[in-house]
Amino acid sequence: LLHPLLQPQHRQLHLQQNQQLRLPALVRPQPLLLHQPQQDGEEKCVWSDWINLGQPTSGSEGGDNESIKNIISAGYHICSAPEAVECRAKQYPGLQISQLGQDVTCNPSVGLICQNNKQGLQQKCFDYEIRVKCLTPTQCSGEEKCVWSDWINLGQPTSGSEGGDNESIKNIISAGYHICSAPEAVECRAKQYPGLQISQLGQDVTCNPSVGLICQNNKQGLQQKCFDYEIRVKCCLSNSYQQ
């Protein structure tokens, strides 16, 4: 299960700019994204696993781009404003970035970026990987903790027979909301009628944790128009992961 975070406007994360971090030696990437939460004072924080989006691209305009934006676009559900990041070269996991002799950006606001054309005569970036530290609303009690997102609405439904309202999990993540990709549960409602259940609205609507919410105008009979729907998701984080 992945780390649940709420809407972007509810994130209050303090960035640590351009911080050089000591890299742990000989830590291999694990299949789970989140490790066991750690307490930092009063804040509960979680380090992701090491993330590597692939080999660096070649040529003077190529390099290795493990930016926060690219990581989220690739489907990793991390926070968009980490508390801290750590970077390392895959070939040299025991060395600090400063020991590698390459010009590399590694900070919480950007993530990791290495450009071949900044590497002097070598003109080739190492294969880098990064991990990020995010705040989590869960408590470190050794039990599974769950949290509901706020109501999410990606906008008015589109018109026409091929239009409708698409608040799918995939679309919500693509829009920048940092929710889990496999929610434990979802709730859907029409913005115009928040007190009514979906079954009371008389529309043919998909609303489930696998898909999210999808309403197609051409399935709404003579009306041929979906209501403006919104959705919220329930994400859980088990604290039993082992590092």
Side-chain angles (χ1 to χ4, degrees):
L1 294 175
L2 301 180
H3 178 211
L5 295 178
L6 301 183
Q7 288 192 26
Q9 63 264 36
H10 292 153
R11 288 184 256 109
Q12 299 178 349
L13 303 178
H14 306 291
L15 301 178
Q16 300 175 3
Q17 302 291 335
N18 299 315
Q19 182 179 13
Q20 284 193 337
L21 298 164
R22 184 173 184 82
L23 303 178
L26 303 177
V27 179
R28 293 182 300 172
Q30 302 294 321
L32 295 175
L33 179 60
L34 298 180
H35 288 312
Q36 185 174 356
Q38 303 170 1
Q39 286 188 323
D40 292 345
E42 295 300 317
E43 296 178 339
K44 309 299 185 296
C45 297
V46 175
W47 278 101
S48 74
D49 274 337
W50 289 101
I51 297 169
N52 190 326
L53 299 183
Q55 295 284 327
T57 54
S58 58
S60 61
E61 298 303 312
D64 200 5
N65 190 322
E66 314 277 340
S67 67
I68 302 301
K69 181 179 178 181
N70 277 14
I71 291 169
I72 292 171
S73 296
Y76 290 87
H77 306 298
I78 61 169
C79 52
S80 61
E83 285 289 296
V85 298
E86 290 184 356
C87 306
R88 68 183 186 185
K90 184 178 179 180
Q91 302 96 313
Y92 310 105
L95 297 180
Q96 298 181 40
I97 289 287
S98 60
Q99 296 175 297
L100 298 174
Q102 293 206 327
D103 184 350
V104 179
T105 297
C106 174
N107 62 55
S109 33
V110 175
L112 181 139
I113 294 178
C114 178
Q115 296 172 283
N116 290 339
N117 57 20
K118 291 185 178 180
Q119 308 317 319
L121 294 176
Q122 184 182 359
Q123 291 283 292
K124 185 178 180 181
C125 291
F126 295 131
D127 184 8
Y128 288 97
E129 47 195 20
I130 184 174
R131 66 175 189 160
V132 303
K133 183 181 183 183
C134 296
L135 292 178
T136 173
T138 62
Q139 302 296 318
C140 298
S141 63
E143 300 175 355
E144 186 175 64
K145 298 295 180 179
C146 300
V147 62
W148 280 97
S149 73
D150 280 344
W151 289 100
I152 298 169
N153 190 327
L154 299 182
Q156 295 285 326
T158 54
S159 58
S161 61
E162 298 303 312
D165 200 3
N166 190 323
E167 314 278 340
S168 67
I169 302 301
K170 181 179 178 181
N171 277 15
I172 291 169
I173 292 171
S174 296
Y177 291 86
H178 306 298
I179 61 170
C180 53
S181 60
E184 288 292 303
V186 297
E187 290 184 359
C188 305
R189 69 183 185 186
K191 185 178 179 180
Q192 302 96 312
Y193 310 105
L196 297 180
Q197 297 181 27
I198 290 287
S199 59
Q200 297 175 295
L201 297 174
Q203 293 206 328
D204 184 350
V205 180
T206 297
C207 175
N208 61 54
S210 306
V211 176
L213 181 139
I214 295 179
C215 178
Q216 296 172 282
N217 290 339
N218 57 19
K219 291 185 176 180
Q220 307 317 319
L222 294 176
Q223 185 182 358
Q224 290 282 293
K225 185 178 181 182
C226 291
F227 294 132
D228 184 8
Y229 287 97
E230 47 195 18
I231 185 174
R232 66 175 188 158
V233 304
K234 182 182 182 181
C235 294
C236 298
L237 175 67
S238 173
N239 292 348
S240 61
Y241 298 142
Q242 297 298 315
Q243 191 166 6

